[in-house]
Amino acid sequence: MLGEIRGEVRFKEPLSFHTSLRIGGSADIFIVPQDVEDIRLALSFAEREQLSLDVIGGGNNLLVSDRGVRGVVLKLEGCLGRAEFNGEEAVAGAGVSLSALIREAAALNLGGIECLVGVPATVGGAVAMNAGTHDGGIADFISAVYFLYPDGTLGEFKPGNGSYSYNVFTPPAKSVLIGARLQLHRRPFAEIQKDIKQRLKQKKSTQPLALASVGCVWKNPPGETATRLIEKVGLKGKRLNGAEISAKHANFIVNRGGAAASDIKALMQLTLDRVRNHFGITLEAEMKTMGEI
């Protein structure tokens, strides 16, 4: 069945090549599908062989075990990479990058999603993680989400109030999220461009964008910011081997070179313990983990 896949099938593929942290051991079977049929074949193979199947997009909000990942890892970035626009709606494949979606929409005088500028994610990853900023999240624009099941059938889910939590969206079992429909609105191109430039300028000045990271590590507790809490307990700039709680933005952990997943995890545990001991607040992680860490 793997031989029928027209995309790429690799064995023992280092996942450090596919995560923004540049960290992670090997995937037993790594598949980069060419199209929806390849995704169906991968799903069917994993189900038949009783293997776990993990899906990644750009690998931007992900910490992968140093020991790697057993089973199948399906990488959708580059596949399902088109967006189509109809009126004030966009239907985007899971592999479309948010930056491309925002740029293509702006060219058609369609806005609303500028709050997601600078979020390094594919549409699939953004929907799965409910990516967002303090101005709003992708869930604010979703009118439908599309899934593919191992038997080749398609599923549609229309979120209602409360369908998304702060940062969790769970697809149906044994399915893969393949796209989403988003509601945009008309806005002059010049206004969109100005907004985008201002937001990117702000991010560049406050976030360590030049270093490998997963973005913000912790969710903001009610009425607080994780950044302030971490700074208050004196952990800003704390280093462990190649990993560092960023001296520029305390809610980022960066890989300065040679960091292992265990180093990232150790800094996270230190942060968790110290914030809990000082403030009685238990921080909750933003990012996903893959494999045993």
Side-chain angles (χ1 to χ4, degrees), residues 253-266:
I253 296 179
V254 298
N255 179 3
R256 287 195 164 273
S262 55
D263 298 327
I264 305 291
K265 195 70 174 179

Side-chain angles (χ1 to χ4, degrees), residues 171-228:
K174 297 183 180 180
S175 71
V176 169
L177 189 159
I178 61 168
R181 184 181 297 274
L182 299 94
Q183 185 65 48
L184 310 176
H185 62 76
R186 295 288 173 191
R187 191 179 182 202
F189 177 76
E191 285 185 16
I192 297 173
Q193 285 295 92
K194 182 179 179 181
D195 196 357
I196 288 173
K197 288 179 181 178
Q198 289 176 339
R199 290 176 184 277
L200 287 176
K201 183 179 179 181
Q202 172 69 11
K203 282 183 177 291
K204 288 176 181 177
S205 67
T206 60
Q207 298 178 3
L209 301 182
L211 296 171
S213 79
V214 292
C216 288
V217 174
W218 306 101
K219 299 177 184 179
N220 289 325
E224 259 295 359
T225 68
T227 302
R228 192 191 77 86

Side-chain angles (χ1 to χ4, degrees), residues 36-163:
V36 171
E37 177 61 13
D38 276 358
I39 297 172
R40 186 194 68 77
L41 289 169
L43 282 167
S44 298
F45 171 78
E47 185 176 52
R48 188 187 71 185
E49 301 297 324
Q50 297 185 323
L51 297 172
S52 64
L53 184 140
D54 292 289
V55 181
I56 65 173
N60 295 293
N61 205 257
L62 184 65
L63 178 63
V64 176
S65 168
D66 299 317
R67 291 177 283 183
V69 179
R70 308 288 68 83
V72 178
V73 173
L74 190 65
K75 182 181 173 72
L76 294 189
E77 186 182 45
C79 175
L80 303 175
R82 291 184 58 193
E84 295 182 358
F85 299 87
N86 183 22
E88 295 188 352
E89 282 192 327
V91 177
V96 176
S97 72
L98 282 184
S99 60
L101 180 65
I102 293 167
R103 185 173 63 250
E104 290 177 30
L108 296 171
N109 295 310
L110 292 172
I113 53 175
E114 293 77 50
C115 62
L116 299 174
V117 164
V119 175
T122 58
V123 167
V127 173
M129 294 298 293
N130 193 11
T133 66
H134 64 276
D135 290 331
I138 195 166
D140 300 331
F141 311 100
I142 295 291
S143 55
V145 178
Y146 304 105
F147 300 95
L148 180 72
Y149 295 91
D151 64 2
T153 58
L154 295 173
E156 180 185 53
F157 176 71
K158 293 185 176 181
N161 291 333
S163 296

